[in-house]
Amino acid sequence: MQTTIPQYQMERGFPGQLAEHDTPQRIVSRFNAEATAAIPWGVLVAEDTTSAQGVKLMAAATDKVAGVTVYSARHGYEAYSGTGLKPKEILNVLAQGAVLVRVEQAVVKGDRAFARFAGTGQKGAFRKDADTANAVELKGAMYLTSAAANGIAVLLLDANTIRAGQA
C-alpha cells in the first residue's frame, strides 16, 4: 500500500518558450547556418558572417548577437535532430523581449546575463558570470526570475543593446 505521495516540482516552462512580460517582442525568422551542428531552442545565437539570414552557435566573444532561439511547433520530426534543429532548418529568433532559458548556474532576479561561447557546456547557454573568459556578458540583458543551477529562468534581452555594448 502506498503511504506517501511523491512531490513533483514542475518547471516554470521550457527553454525557448516566450515569457509574458510588458516589454515589446521582436521575433525574426532565420535559418541554422551551421555545417553539421543542431541548434537547440533557448540558446543565444550569433549572426552568420556568410549569409544574411543565417545564425550559428556562439563561437567567440566578438560574435554579433542575433538573439535567443524560440520554440515553434511548426517543425516536423525530420527537422529535429534530438538535440535541436538541423542545419538549414528555419528557426525563430527572439531579438527583443522575454524568453525562458536554462541556466548553467544559480541566478537571482536582477543578475546580469552571460552566454557561453567556449569551454565545457552548450554554446549559447546562459549563466551569471564569464566562467574564466568562456562566456560573454550580454549588455543590458538580465534575469527577471531566480532559478537554481540547471533550472529555468526568464531572461529579458534586446539584441540591439547587446550589439551596441560589443562595439
PDB file of all heavy atoms in Angstrom, residues 1 9-10 46 49 59-60 80 96 112 133 135 142 145 156 163:
ATOM      1  N   MET A   1       0.836  -1.165   0.000  1.00  0.00           N
ATOM      2  CA  MET A   1       0.000   0.000   0.000  1.00  0.00           C
ATOM      3  C   MET A   1       0.897   1.249   0.000  1.00  0.00           C
ATOM      4  O   MET A   1       1.871   1.316   0.736  1.00  0.00           O
ATOM      5  CB  MET A   1      -0.904  -0.004   1.237  1.00  0.00           C
ATOM      6  CG  MET A   1      -1.590   1.313   1.385  1.00  0.00           C
ATOM      7  SD  MET A   1      -2.901   1.483   2.591  1.00  0.00           S
ATOM      8  CE  MET A   1      -2.399   0.711   4.043  1.00  0.00           C
ATOM      9  N   GLN A   9       7.856  18.577  -8.666  1.00  0.00           N
ATOM     10  CA  GLN A   9       8.088  20.005  -8.837  1.00  0.00           C
ATOM     11  C   GLN A   9       8.139  20.298 -10.331  1.00  0.00           C
ATOM     12  O   GLN A   9       9.099  19.941 -10.995  1.00  0.00           O
ATOM     13  CB  GLN A   9       9.409  20.413  -8.161  1.00  0.00           C
ATOM     14  CG  GLN A   9       9.626  21.888  -8.070  1.00  0.00           C
ATOM     15  CD  GLN A   9       8.661  22.551  -7.106  1.00  0.00           C
ATOM     16  OE1 GLN A   9       8.103  21.927  -6.227  1.00  0.00           O
ATOM     17  NE2 GLN A   9       8.457  23.830  -7.285  1.00  0.00           N
ATOM     18  N   MET A  10       7.096  20.881 -10.844  1.00  0.00           N
ATOM     19  CA  MET A  10       7.083  21.199 -12.266  1.00  0.00           C
ATOM     20  C   MET A  10       7.951  22.429 -12.526  1.00  0.00           C
ATOM     21  O   MET A  10       8.001  23.349 -11.712  1.00  0.00           O
ATOM     22  CB  MET A  10       5.658  21.479 -12.731  1.00  0.00           C
ATOM     23  CG  MET A  10       4.792  20.237 -12.716  1.00  0.00           C
ATOM     24  SD  MET A  10       3.169  20.541 -13.391  1.00  0.00           S
ATOM     25  CE  MET A  10       3.562  20.906 -15.072  1.00  0.00           C
ATOM     26  N   ALA A  46      24.377  33.668 -32.882  1.00  0.00           N
ATOM     27  CA  ALA A  46      25.080  34.801 -33.492  1.00  0.00           C
ATOM     28  C   ALA A  46      24.746  34.880 -34.975  1.00  0.00           C
ATOM     29  O   ALA A  46      24.395  33.875 -35.606  1.00  0.00           O
ATOM     30  CB  ALA A  46      26.586  34.625 -33.312  1.00  0.00           C
ATOM     31  N   THR A  49      28.300  35.068 -40.692  1.00  0.00           N
ATOM     32  CA  THR A  49      29.061  36.067 -41.456  1.00  0.00           C
ATOM     33  C   THR A  49      29.012  35.819 -42.958  1.00  0.00           C
ATOM     34  O   THR A  49      29.433  36.677 -43.733  1.00  0.00           O
ATOM     35  CB  THR A  49      30.534  36.087 -41.001  1.00  0.00           C
ATOM     36  OG1 THR A  49      31.079  34.776 -41.151  1.00  0.00           O
ATOM     37  CG2 THR A  49      30.645  36.539 -39.547  1.00  0.00           C
ATOM     38  N   ALA A  59      30.553  31.332 -31.017  1.00  0.00           N
ATOM     39  CA  ALA A  59      31.879  30.727 -31.107  1.00  0.00           C
ATOM     40  C   ALA A  59      32.975  31.645 -30.580  1.00  0.00           C
ATOM     41  O   ALA A  59      34.098  31.210 -30.366  1.00  0.00           O
ATOM     42  CB  ALA A  59      32.181  30.335 -32.550  1.00  0.00           C
ATOM     43  N   ALA A  60      32.655  32.940 -30.373  1.00  0.00           N
ATOM     44  CA  ALA A  60      33.644  33.901 -29.887  1.00  0.00           C
ATOM     45  C   ALA A  60      32.926  35.043 -29.181  1.00  0.00           C
ATOM     46  O   ALA A  60      31.757  35.326 -29.464  1.00  0.00           O
ATOM     47  CB  ALA A  60      34.470  34.445 -31.053  1.00  0.00           C
ATOM     48  N   TYR A  80      14.103  17.952 -36.586  1.00  0.00           N
ATOM     49  CA  TYR A  80      14.689  17.933 -35.255  1.00  0.00           C
ATOM     50  C   TYR A  80      15.666  16.766 -35.132  1.00  0.00           C
ATOM     51  O   TYR A  80      15.355  15.643 -35.505  1.00  0.00           O
ATOM     52  CB  TYR A  80      13.580  17.808 -34.201  1.00  0.00           C
ATOM     53  CG  TYR A  80      14.043  18.029 -32.798  1.00  0.00           C
ATOM     54  CD1 TYR A  80      14.446  19.283 -32.370  1.00  0.00           C
ATOM     55  CD2 TYR A  80      14.100  16.986 -31.892  1.00  0.00           C
ATOM     56  CE1 TYR A  80      14.885  19.497 -31.075  1.00  0.00           C
ATOM     57  CE2 TYR A  80      14.529  17.182 -30.592  1.00  0.00           C
ATOM     58  CZ  TYR A  80      14.918  18.441 -30.200  1.00  0.00           C
ATOM     59  OH  TYR A  80      15.367  18.646 -28.913  1.00  0.00           O
ATOM     60  N   GLN A  96      14.298  40.753 -29.279  1.00  0.00           N
ATOM     61  CA  GLN A  96      13.940  41.655 -28.185  1.00  0.00           C
ATOM     62  C   GLN A  96      12.748  41.082 -27.450  1.00  0.00           C
ATOM     63  O   GLN A  96      11.776  40.654 -28.078  1.00  0.00           O
ATOM     64  CB  GLN A  96      13.582  43.038 -28.732  1.00  0.00           C
ATOM     65  CG  GLN A  96      13.137  44.018 -27.672  1.00  0.00           C
ATOM     66  CD  GLN A  96      12.677  45.339 -28.257  1.00  0.00           C
ATOM     67  OE1 GLN A  96      12.547  45.489 -29.462  1.00  0.00           O
ATOM     68  NE2 GLN A  96      12.436  46.304 -27.404  1.00  0.00           N
ATOM     69  N   ARG A 112      22.967  40.062 -13.985  1.00  0.00           N
ATOM     70  CA  ARG A 112      23.353  40.267 -15.381  1.00  0.00           C
ATOM     71  C   ARG A 112      23.480  38.915 -16.053  1.00  0.00           C
ATOM     72  O   ARG A 112      23.790  37.920 -15.416  1.00  0.00           O
ATOM     73  CB  ARG A 112      24.688  41.023 -15.453  1.00  0.00           C
ATOM     74  CG  ARG A 112      24.609  42.412 -14.865  1.00  0.00           C
ATOM     75  CD  ARG A 112      25.938  43.109 -14.886  1.00  0.00           C
ATOM     76  NE  ARG A 112      26.941  42.282 -14.196  1.00  0.00           N
ATOM     77  CZ  ARG A 112      28.238  42.432 -14.295  1.00  0.00           C
ATOM     78  NH1 ARG A 112      28.741  43.373 -15.049  1.00  0.00           N
ATOM     79  NH2 ARG A 112      29.073  41.655 -13.632  1.00  0.00           N
ATOM     80  N   ALA A 133      36.465  33.621 -18.826  1.00  0.00           N
ATOM     81  CA  ALA A 133      36.557  34.050 -20.229  1.00  0.00           C
ATOM     82  C   ALA A 133      35.985  33.038 -21.225  1.00  0.00           C
ATOM     83  O   ALA A 133      36.362  33.042 -22.387  1.00  0.00           O
ATOM     84  CB  ALA A 133      37.997  34.413 -20.591  1.00  0.00           C
ATOM     85  N   ALA A 135      32.550  32.833 -21.421  1.00  0.00           N
ATOM     86  CA  ALA A 135      31.210  33.375 -21.666  1.00  0.00           C
ATOM     87  C   ALA A 135      31.319  34.892 -21.774  1.00  0.00           C
ATOM     88  O   ALA A 135      32.191  35.515 -21.176  1.00  0.00           O
ATOM     89  CB  ALA A 135      30.263  32.987 -20.542  1.00  0.00           C
ATOM     90  N   MET A 142      19.136  40.825 -18.524  1.00  0.00           N
ATOM     91  CA  MET A 142      19.099  40.422 -17.121  1.00  0.00           C
ATOM     92  C   MET A 142      18.024  39.370 -16.906  1.00  0.00           C
ATOM     93  O   MET A 142      17.120  39.201 -17.727  1.00  0.00           O
ATOM     94  CB  MET A 142      18.846  41.611 -16.220  1.00  0.00           C
ATOM     95  CG  MET A 142      17.481  42.218 -16.356  1.00  0.00           C
ATOM     96  SD  MET A 142      17.300  43.514 -15.130  1.00  0.00           S
ATOM     97  CE  MET A 142      15.585  43.866 -15.294  1.00  0.00           C
ATOM     98  N   THR A 145      13.683  36.428 -13.219  1.00  0.00           N
ATOM     99  CA  THR A 145      13.324  35.488 -12.155  1.00  0.00           C
ATOM    100  C   THR A 145      14.588  34.807 -11.648  1.00  0.00           C
ATOM    101  O   THR A 145      15.612  34.791 -12.333  1.00  0.00           O
ATOM    102  CB  THR A 145      12.354  34.399 -12.661  1.00  0.00           C
ATOM    103  OG1 THR A 145      12.996  33.670 -13.722  1.00  0.00           O
ATOM    104  CG2 THR A 145      11.044  34.999 -13.161  1.00  0.00           C
ATOM    105  N   LEU A 156      15.417  38.685 -20.001  1.00  0.00           N
ATOM    106  CA  LEU A 156      14.993  39.852 -20.774  1.00  0.00           C
ATOM    107  C   LEU A 156      16.194  40.346 -21.553  1.00  0.00           C
ATOM    108  O   LEU A 156      17.269  40.556 -20.977  1.00  0.00           O
ATOM    109  CB  LEU A 156      14.483  40.954 -19.845  1.00  0.00           C
ATOM    110  CG  LEU A 156      14.031  42.247 -20.514  1.00  0.00           C
ATOM    111  CD1 LEU A 156      12.788  42.006 -21.371  1.00  0.00           C
ATOM    112  CD2 LEU A 156      13.746  43.310 -19.463  1.00  0.00           C
ATOM    113  N   ARG A 163      24.499  44.254 -29.019  1.00  0.00           N
ATOM    114  CA  ARG A 163      25.464  44.527 -30.087  1.00  0.00           C
ATOM    115  C   ARG A 163      26.137  45.878 -29.888  1.00  0.00           C
ATOM    116  O   ARG A 163      27.338  46.021 -30.130  1.00  0.00           O
ATOM    117  CB  ARG A 163      24.771  44.454 -31.447  1.00  0.00           C
ATOM    118  CG  ARG A 163      24.494  43.032 -31.903  1.00  0.00           C
ATOM    119  CD  ARG A 163      24.123  42.961 -33.361  1.00  0.00           C
ATOM    120  NE  ARG A 163      22.902  43.662 -33.678  1.00  0.00           N
ATOM    121  CZ  ARG A 163      21.692  43.104 -33.716  1.00  0.00           C
ATOM    122  NH1 ARG A 163      21.549  41.824 -33.475  1.00  0.00           N
ATOM    123  NH2 ARG A 163      20.633  43.817 -34.029  1.00  0.00           N
TER     124      ARG A 163
END
